Amino acid sequence: MLDQLVSHRVVIKPLPYANDRNCAVLGTIKKLKHAKVIWKMPFNECLEKYQISAVVFEFASTPLYEAIGEDIEIFTILDPNVPFGEEPIKLLKKRVHCFDTLEDFKKALELYCKGALPKLRNDEFYLKYVYKENMSELILNTLENLLKPQFR
């Protein structure tokens, strides 16, 4: 499907250390003719370098949380083995195009390519689960607590 998007620049960033044993679609990715595959660049650098307007995640993982604060469309297929809770999924669906089936995902991607899919930019999930105003302070405090002697 991605190879058919010849009027769009498709950039694929596999997860680090992706190989034939842990990435079911790797063989397919290697055969794509109209997609650029980025192997050795961190995902956040790809977002900056390629001025990406939309991302597709085969499942919700760390890169989704890296992308959720960006001004881009985000698509993900939900994994029934790793479900979100009721409140998080409700908020996530206000920001991310989430799908239970590949068919629903394909329909939405076609609408996106035609410019007919509404943009999702709600930041409730981001503010509740990802971004913390005092993030640097929280990280430093956590590190300080971890490095303190365990026994006094």
Side-chain angles (χ1 to χ4, degrees):
M1 178 177 188
L2 293 176
D3 221 18
Q4 297 169 359
L5 302 174
V6 292
S7 62
H8 294 75
R9 182 170 65 181
V10 176
V11 177
I12 298 173
K13 171 63 184 103
L15 290 171
Y17 311 110
N19 61 49
D20 294 325
R21 291 179 22 200
N22 64 18
C23 183
V25 297
L26 196 56
T28 303
I29 289 172
K30 290 177 179 177
K31 294 176 187 173
L32 296 176
K33 295 178 182 150
H34 300 290
K36 180 173 181 68
V37 181
I38 307 295
W39 294 101
K40 297 188 181 208
M41 183 183 296
F43 177 69
N44 58 345
E45 288 181 28
C46 285
L47 287 174
E48 293 173 22
K49 182 174 181 174
Y50 292 98
Q51 301 172 345
I52 294 170
S53 60
V55 293
V56 175
F57 299 110
E58 60 185 311
F59 55 88
S61 60
T62 302
L64 181 139
Y65 300 103
E66 293 175 337
I68 204 162
E70 302 293 325
D71 184 22
I72 58 178
E73 290 309 308
I74 302 171
F75 299 82
T76 192
I77 298 171
L78 298 173
D79 183 348
N81 298 311
V82 187
F84 283 89
E86 188 175 319
E87 182 185 8
I89 193 66
K90 179 180 167 188
L91 296 179
L92 187 68
K93 286 182 175 182
K94 292 180 178 182
R95 174 61 183 97
V96 175
H97 301 280
C98 298
F99 308 97
D100 292 315
T101 69
L102 189 56
E103 286 306 312
D104 289 341
F105 162 71
K106 287 179 180 180
K107 289 175 190 173
L109 193 56
E110 288 173 9
L111 289 173
Y112 171 78
C113 290
K114 294 176 185 175
L117 190 70
K119 288 185 176 186
L120 299 180
R121 294 296 186 275
N122 183 288
D123 63 356
E124 291 176 74
F125 183 92
Y126 175 73
L127 293 173
K128 182 158 187 165
Y129 297 104
V130 180
Y131 174 80
K132 301 291 183 210
E133 191 170 316
N134 59 341
M135 184 65 76
S136 295
E137 182 182 332
L138 291 170
I139 291 170
L140 289 174
N141 287 341
T142 300
L143 288 172
E144 183 179 312
N145 288 328
L146 288 170
L147 297 174
K148 280 183 186 177
Q150 296 297 315
F151 302 101
R152 293 181 188 205

